[in-house]
Amino acid sequence: MNRHAAVMRHAEAGRLEPVRLFLRYRDSDTPPRGDAPEPRLAEGWLRPGTQEVGPFRVRLACDIEGECATYELSLRNGAERPLRLEALGLGFRWRPPRLAAPRFLRQGWQSWSFAGGWPLDEVGEPPFPSGPWLRGFHRGLARVPSDRSGWHEADLVTAVAAAPGGPAVCAGVLESGRALGVVFLRREDASVRLELEQWWERPLEPGATLEGEAVRVALGAEAERLLEAHAADHGRRAGARNGAPFRPGWCSWYQFFHEVDEASLLRNLEALAAARETIPVEVVQLDDGYQRAVGDWLETNARFPRGLAPLAAEIRDAGFVPGIWVAPFCVVPESQLFASHPDWLLRAEDGLLRGLYHGQWSREGWVHVLDPSHDPARDHLLRTAAALVALGFQYLKLDFLYTAALTARAHDPTLSRVARLRRGLDAIRAGAGEDAFLLGCGCPLGAAVGVVDGMRIGPDTAPAWDTVEALRIPGLEPTLPAARNALRNTLARAWMHRRLWQNDPDCLMTRGSDTELSAAEVRTLAVAAAATGGMLVLSDDLPALAPERRALAAGTIELARRLDRAGGGRPLALLEDDVAAGAVARGTRDGWLALFNGGEERVRRDVDVRALGLQPADAAPEPLLDSPPPGEWKEGHLAVELDAHEAVLYRLRMLPPLAVFCDFDGTFAVQDVGSTLARRYAGARRAALWDRLTRGELTAWEYNLELLDGLPLPEVELEAFLQTVQLDPGARELVAWCEHEGVPFRVLSDGFDRNLDRLQELHRIRFDYDANRLRYEAEAWRIEAAHPNPACDCGTGTCKRGRIEAFRREYPDVVIVHIGNGRVSDLCGALAADVVFAKDSLAEALAERAMRFEHFETLYDVRAALERLLAHLSGS
């Protein structure tokens, strides 16, 4: 088409030009058979406005903000007959100042599909050797149009770097569960062509209209940052469920596989309860192997004679969140569901659709697929999810989800394949409720944003580095279970974490037996899980785990929690190899650097940490997770030698100008959560206990124990109350300001971690905190002091003076700020700080002592004062 003026320009990344708008369609609304000719191709202008493109009338709008362009489009069937819209697309040309050995993110369709750096050569997408049926498991298109010969391909989104570490373009379809996004790209001399297609594969009646998915294209200096910004925008538009708290878990799969039984599960439950202090697991999940037949998810086999309800109750009574695995769309002929409702299943041209082959699920091996476009099947999905949650399972791992979006004959042909899957996922969410945690697995990525809380972002890991020879299928090797495959995708999709969902890198196995992984390879997986800050799920037989392997599991959980708070690690040199060279994360107090060698030869990694945006103190990096010290460290330059399959992780102390510690109840939140609950549910005892507290007969923590430990408060009532808690009007902006300025911000609370986690989720805000521990046993509170300080007379479970003094010992030159409103625990913290913001009884107590403080009404006041303080400390 005609060449137009540039859509965008970037000082380093060059210019992006519009090329064409195009459609693929058929003259009939009948779904094509395998031998059908390819659809027609119609082209138009890539410019805002309305135009005729073939028999369709297309409206296009473009919003450009800085170096990012977002396109919205819609179309109407202008013909007098039904038509079938296969795809619509937008084409661009990227002209960077210099194009030398360009590489791109080769991204597959679903959780297990390959994701990693790939050369943008003239050959194009490698031919798939095992046929369209298997190709369709991992690429959005089982068959690619013939005009795409010589093009490369990425599903959903990609980024292209003009040269190693050079400027980049990022382009993708912002899927909302209605159409499938595919990016085709190829090198053309000194430019790169990018064509973004959204595949609808659905009929349109005469005069019918369709709102397309948005398309986003951006230019920038770094591919990694562009991908993060793209995911953040996608998440905002799709209502991403990315605020669930970090909850480490244990899963039965990688130790027991299909042979799991009730005794093994309960033995590990007992061990996890005993190890709670050192291995703080919160979720216990039963995986594949419990069901009578795939499809009958509420019925157990002979290895689980009591059924599911007693197991969920025992897990819950032990203080854990019960979790369970299901493959909700999969149905085998041995199931009662298959016998009763074969009409609920997707069909192929010659009978029932064969969604996959699984010899351990069915005698014949073939697995069929529920059709979510069929109302009775959809209702069944809803009822099944609701029943599992009613049994006590608040954590549902949903596996093999891609099957619902395979090419098939569905009950409702007006739904695209992606819309069919999304309808099923929405039904599961409706049945499970808003509070259940849904983990997607084997799932097309874009269709699930806004439905799932977590997403597997790589192939299954395994107790072996490479794929098992007997299981290798030509073309599918990078998608099969293997530690290396899991590592590759964990790094390549790290930019999705906390933007689209919580990333699930798959389970961590730290054991030294029943595995082919070396100690170095185990550490590599632990480093990847910790450095990217995603979900952390263990899968060893805990009673048999050696002490040093338990310590590795515990250390990985703690580091993953900390790096999750820091937003997770950003991959280094993401596009330069299939396995990224490293990852870097920055908190407000610390920086972390992970380095990887996914290859077969020894390598040397040289890193200038200041070039990564870190400003470390002079102290040498601290090795973590049994990593060896760096070979060299001088003036911010680090060098390390890595053997094949090896990784290291280091902590770098940062030098913040000031640090902010803030009370929660009555300060960060308007209400005092603990006091309100005590008045409401323990009012009869509260007055007498309060009198004993004021007379000095009880410490603050002893008062809490007497009042709240064993409090019979149903979780549903706690949840109802927490939904009424409001944050201070300036709370969100204070946290954002601290993050922007690199100022450590931490809530210090003598309240409870469970409540703070839930309030962060409800208010979609994240902050570090120290608080006491709360868990449920038999619908009653069990509480535990987290940070008592015998050297302080405050008598609290979390001594704020102790937490501040611990920080000061590590950072003696940092100005410490405390914000609070109470006379007991907040006074303790105020006496240890350099600058104090106070109101209510804390202000009165400080005035009585003639101590200096700044009065505030809301945290807006505090933020404004901190801006002045930071400017003063910076000398500006």
Side-chain angles (χ1 to χ4, degrees):
M1 301 300 296
N2 248 9
R3 177 174 167 180
H4 299 285
V7 174
M8 292 180 295
R9 298 177 186 270
H10 185 276
E12 297 176 59
R15 56 188 279 155
L16 185 76
E17 300 170 354
V19 176
R20 64 171 182 163
L21 183 153
F22 59 96
L23 301 171
R24 300 181 190 273
Y25 72 97
R26 298 180 187 275
D27 285 325
S28 169
D29 61 349
T30 304
R33 299 182 64 87
D35 57 354
E38 291 194 351
R40 295 174 177 270
L41 181 67
E43 298 187 42
W45 305 103
L46 182 51
R47 61 190 182 193
T50 302
Q51 59 185 296
E52 305 292 335
V53 183
F56 296 93
R57 186 167 182 80
V58 182
R59 181 185 59 81
L60 182 68
C62 178
D63 178 31
I64 300 178
E65 184 175 349
E67 289 83 29
C68 174
T70 304
Y71 288 84
E72 309 273 359
L73 64 166
S74 63
L75 58 80
R76 181 174 62 84
N77 178 6
E80 296 182 355
R81 63 191 184 283
L83 299 174
R84 181 176 171 87
L85 176 69
E86 297 291 356
L88 57 90
L90 306 180
F92 301 89
R93 178 176 289 108
W94 177 42
R95 296 184 183 274
R98 174 174 172 268
L99 197 63
R103 294 181 66 90
F104 74 105
L105 179 63
R106 184 170 178 253
Q107 163 110 293
W109 182 41
Q110 51 116 323
S111 301
W112 308 325
S113 305
F114 177 96
W118 200 265
L120 188 66
D121 54 28
E122 290 78 14
V123 176
E125 179 73 15
F128 187 78
S130 295
W133 184 67
L134 285 174
R135 188 186 199 274
F137 287 11
H138 291 280
R139 303 312 303 244
L141 298 179
R143 289 183 172 87
V144 180
S146 59
D147 62 315
R148 291 306 180 191
S149 177
W151 291 71
H152 289 277
E153 180 183 351
D155 290 290
L156 186 66
V157 60
T158 191
V160 188
V169 61
C170 178
V173 177
L174 301 175
E175 290 187 25
S176 64
R178 296 181 298 131
L180 166 73
V182 184
V183 186
F184 290 99
L185 58 165
R186 71 180 181 190
R187 180 173 180 174
E188 295 182 344
D189 297 325
S191 66
V192 174
R193 279 283 298 276
L194 296 147
E195 300 217 328
L196 294 90
E197 299 196 26
Q198 42 189 280
W199 282 74
W200 290 83
E201 301 165 299
R202 56 152 297 179
L204 279 178
E205 294 296 318
T209 61
L210 179 148
E211 292 292 328
E213 301 278 41
V215 167
R216 186 182 187 276
V217 188
L219 301 176
E222 297 178 41
E224 294 84 0
R225 293 181 185 272
L226 287 173
L227 287 164
E228 290 173 353
H230 184 95
D233 193 12
H234 191 172
R236 282 191 296 269
R237 285 171 166 264
R241 297 175 60 93
N242 51 16
F246 177 86
R247 284 184 172 170
W250 179 89
C251 167
S252 64
W253 178 247
Y254 289 102
Q255 184 69 64
F256 303 107
F257 296 98
H258 290 103
E259 301 308 313
V260 65
D261 58 23
E262 185 174 306
S264 300
L265 181 69
L266 294 178
R267 186 176 72 250
N268 276 272
L269 178 63
E270 182 179 358
L272 288 164
R276 196 189 309 272
E277 292 304 310
T278 54
I279 303 179
V281 161
E282 297 181 32
V283 177
V284 174
Q285 184 232 310
L286 174 61
D287 212 278
D288 186 7
Y290 69 89
Q291 67 277 3
R292 191 195 69 81
V294 165
D296 298 338
W297 303 112
L298 305 180
E299 299 178 30
T300 56
N301 56 41
R303 295 191 302 275
F304 291 84
R306 297 187 300 156
L308 292 176
L311 284 178
E314 290 197 41
I315 295 170
R316 185 180 182 84
D317 289 346
F320 300 97
V321 176
I324 196 165
W325 171 95
V326 294
F329 302 124
C330 294
V331 183
V332 297
E334 292 85 348
S335 68
Q336 292 180 6
L337 180 60
F338 183 92
S340 301
H341 300 290
D343 56 314
W344 293 0
L345 304 177
L346 289 170
R347 305 189 70 83
E349 293 178 7
D350 57 353
L352 291 178
L353 177 71
R354 292 175 170 180
L356 67 143
Y357 182 89
H358 200 308
Q360 290 176 297
W361 283 0
S362 173
R363 288 185 296 273
E364 296 182 356
W366 294 114
V367 180
H368 304 291
V369 186
L370 275 178
D371 178 1
S373 79
H374 196 26
D375 286 344
R378 177 196 176 277
D379 294 344
H380 170 79
L381 291 166
L382 187 153
R383 290 194 304 270
T384 301
L388 289 168
V389 171
L391 288 172
F393 295 102
Q394 282 288 321
Y395 176 106
L396 305 183
K397 178 181 175 181
L398 313 173
D399 211 347
F400 292 87
L401 297 179
Y402 73 91
T403 54
L406 292 173
T407 300
R409 302 299 174 102
H411 180 78
D412 184 353
T414 67
L415 291 180
S416 70
R417 291 189 284 132
V418 168
R420 184 201 310 151
L421 167 63
R422 179 61 177 243
R423 193 169 192 260
L425 291 176
D426 284 340
I428 293 169
R429 169 57 72 188
E434 289 299 309
D435 296 336
F437 187 99
L438 300 185
L439 172 63
C441 188
C443 184
L445 299 173
V449 182
V451 182
V452 301
D453 304 279
M455 176 66 83
R456 171 79 72 77
I457 40 78
D460 280 16
T461 188
W465 183 254
D466 284 314
T467 56
V468 177
E469 183 68 33
L471 298 180
R472 292 183 181 176
I473 301 171
L476 293 185
E477 295 91 342
T479 72
L480 296 175
R484 188 187 190 278
N485 288 344
L487 168 68
R488 180 200 64 230
N489 273 43
T490 296
L491 298 172
R493 288 173 170 167
W495 48 274
M496 296 178 174
H497 180 57
R498 291 291 184 187
R499 297 177 179 90
L500 301 179
W501 40 58
Q502 288 188 58
N503 276 6
D504 173 21
D506 204 11
C507 296
L508 175 66
M509 292 164 280
T510 64
R511 60 183 181 262
S513 59
D514 297 326
T515 180
E516 297 177 19
L517 294 171
S518 68
E521 290 166 345
V522 169
R523 184 176 72 226
T524 293
L525 295 178
V527 168
T532 53
M535 298 170 61
L536 201 290
V537 180
L538 306 176
S539 195
D540 293 310
D541 188 15
L542 194 63
L545 205 59
E548 68 274 12
R549 300 304 178 110
R550 285 185 177 224
L552 178 61
T556 308
I557 288 174
E558 178 56 31
L559 282 168
R561 188 189 304 275
R562 293 183 66 184
L563 272 88
D564 176 62
R565 291 284 183 190
R570 173 180 294 145
L572 303 178
L574 171 60
L575 303 183
E576 293 177 26
D577 205 340
D578 64 331
V579 176
V584 62
R586 174 174 179 168
T588 49
R589 294 172 54 176
D590 299 309
W592 295 271
L593 176 65
L595 300 173
F596 299 92
N597 177 12
E600 301 302 317
E601 304 292 334
R602 185 175 175 86
V603 299
R604 175 185 170 96
R605 300 288 189 219
D606 290 275
V607 180
D608 181 353
V609 299
R610 290 186 172 88
L612 301 178
L614 302 178
Q615 296 297 325
D618 294 331
E622 175 190 353
L624 303 172
L625 300 181
D626 301 324
S627 300
E632 299 175 17
W633 170 256
K634 185 177 180 181
E635 297 178 352
H637 179 268
L638 177 148
V640 63
E641 298 275 347
L642 295 175
D643 287 329
H645 312 172
E646 189 181 11
V648 292
L649 178 62
Y650 300 115
R651 171 179 173 259
L652 299 157
R653 288 185 55 206
M654 309 296 285
L655 291 175
L658 59 90
V660 177
F661 295 88
C662 184
D663 170 54
F664 188 81
D665 291 305
T667 303
F668 198 82
V670 174
Q671 298 96 324
D672 187 316
V673 174
S675 293
T676 305
L677 290 171
R679 284 195 302 271
R680 186 173 298 180
Y681 295 98
R685 294 182 293 115
R686 182 174 180 272
L689 289 171
W690 183 260
D691 287 342
R692 292 179 63 194
L693 175 67
T694 57
R695 292 196 301 266
E697 298 173 10
L698 295 173
T699 66
W701 181 248
E702 289 169 341
Y703 168 80
N704 272 340
L705 280 175
E706 292 277 351
L707 188 66
L708 299 175
D709 194 46
L711 181 70
L713 173 55
E715 283 188 272
V716 65
E717 294 187 31
L718 174 62
E719 171 67 17
F721 168 73
L722 291 177
Q723 296 210 14
T724 69
V725 174
Q726 298 298 312
L727 301 185
D728 179 278
R732 195 178 305 278
E733 292 195 23
L734 175 61
V735 171
W737 180 84
C738 288
E739 289 178 353
H740 182 267
E741 299 295 339
V743 171
F745 176 88
R746 195 173 194 88
V747 164
L748 299 181
S749 174
D750 204 31
F752 302 103
D753 54 0
R754 189 184 185 102
N755 297 338
L756 293 182
D757 285 341
R758 181 59 179 144
L759 288 168
Q760 288 183 81
E761 189 175 6
L762 288 170
H763 289 280
R764 294 183 178 272
I765 190 171
R766 301 179 71 233
F767 49 78
D768 290 330
Y769 68 79
D770 290 316
N772 301 310
R773 290 184 280 271
L774 164 64
R775 58 188 173 85
Y776 266 92
E777 286 185 7
E779 289 296 305
W781 276 23
R782 305 301 303 186
I783 66 172
E784 184 179 353
H787 304 284
N789 182 9
C792 183
D793 60 5
C794 68
T796 59
T798 293
C799 174
K800 298 180 181 181
R801 169 185 156 189
R803 304 314 298 152
I804 290 174
E805 288 179 345
F807 181 89
R808 194 185 294 280
R809 284 192 294 272
E810 195 169 1
Y811 301 91
D813 300 323
V814 173
V815 174
I816 293 179
V817 175
H818 185 265
I819 312 165
N821 78 317
R823 182 178 287 269
V824 181
S825 65
D826 286 339
L827 178 60
C828 170
L831 295 176
D834 300 308
V835 177
V836 178
F837 292 87
K839 64 178 180 178
D840 303 337
S841 61
L842 176 60
E844 295 170 2
L846 293 174
E848 292 168 3
R849 292 170 176 249
M851 288 185 60
R852 182 177 178 180
F853 67 92
E854 293 201 36
H855 186 272
F856 75 98
E857 292 295 334
T858 74
L859 294 178
Y860 281 125
D861 305 328
V862 175
R863 190 203 63 188
L866 289 177
E867 288 176 348
R868 297 190 295 270
L869 175 60
L870 184 60
H872 172 73
L873 294 173
S874 303
S876 58

